[in-house]
């Protein structure tokens, strides 16, 4: 057997390092009557803005699990910039999802109901060097490994196809009714 060839994107690792305590926090606006902008999923690739009243705790806006609203944090792969907003319409009963497949930007996206689960999802994604991670009750319930640049698998085409199908099934088993859950999540940053 010949050694595995070096892959160019392995030179672009995720270097997030120590995350600031406010990584997943959104400061509440002074005027709370207008609502918070939320990206509402319309179909596989389209969202529309809707301003919604969201829960506020200790001066920070929180996700609203009862109304299917998750926090959505984008983190640059060098860890130097991040931003958090909100998304509605995933319809999945998990606490957090992280992915390194983010169309056009190829950075990190963490979706979640609470900061602790989001941190667990992020840390596991970084350990894996990319892919998709689902967290429920502080435990990893599924992961899809995409270690080449955070967007590609290093296995066979057949194995990768099986893993993608399994990941989609896991989303559906946890209540997600999106036709193509991975596609929709991966397009949120587009």
């Amino acid at each position: 057997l010949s050694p595995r060839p070096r892959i160019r994107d392995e030179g672009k690792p995720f270097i997030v390092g120590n995350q600031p305590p406010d990584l997943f926090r959104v400061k509440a606006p002074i005027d709370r009557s207008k609502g918070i902008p939320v990206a509402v999923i319309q179909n596989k690739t389209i969202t529309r803005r809707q301003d919604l009243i969201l829960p506020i705790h200790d001066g920070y806006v929180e996700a609203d699990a009862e109304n299917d609203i998750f926090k959505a944090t984008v983190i640059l792969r060098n860890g130097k910039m991040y931003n958090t907003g909100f998304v509605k319409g995933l319809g999945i009963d998990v606490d957090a999802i992280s992915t390194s497949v983010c169309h056009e930007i190829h950075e990190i996206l963490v979706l979640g109901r609470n900061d602790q689960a989001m941190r667990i999802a992020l840390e596991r994604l970084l350990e894996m060097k990319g892919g998709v991670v689902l967290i429920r009750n502080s435990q990893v319930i599924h992961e899809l490994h995409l270690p080449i640049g955070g967007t590609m698998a290093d296995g066979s085409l057949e194995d990768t196809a099986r893993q993608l199908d399994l990941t989609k099934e896991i989303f559906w088993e946890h209540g997600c009714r999106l036709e193509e859950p991975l596609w929709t999540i991966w397009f949120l940053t587009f």
Side-chain angles (χ1 to χ4, degrees), residues 58-73:
D58 291 336
Y60 292 94
V61 184
E62 299 293 336
D64 186 354
E66 287 183 25
N67 291 303
D68 192 24
I69 299 171
F70 281 61
K71 288 183 180 181
T73 301

Side-chain angles (χ1 to χ4, degrees), residues 19 22 66 83 86 89 105 185:
Q19 298 117 34
D22 67 343
E66 287 183 25
N83 203 357
F86 296 89
I105 66 170
I185 288 170

Side-chain angles (χ1 to χ4, degrees), residues 9-17 74-81 100-102 105-108 126 129-130 147-151:
D9 279 344
E10 286 179 340
K12 295 181 184 177
F14 297 103
I15 309 171
V16 174
V74 176
I75 306 164
L76 295 187
R77 69 173 52 226
N78 64 12
K80 293 185 179 176
M81 288 180 34
S100 55
V101 180
C102 300
I105 66 170
H106 304 294
E107 305 293 347
I108 296 169
L126 295 172
K129 298 184 181 353
I148 302 173
T151 61

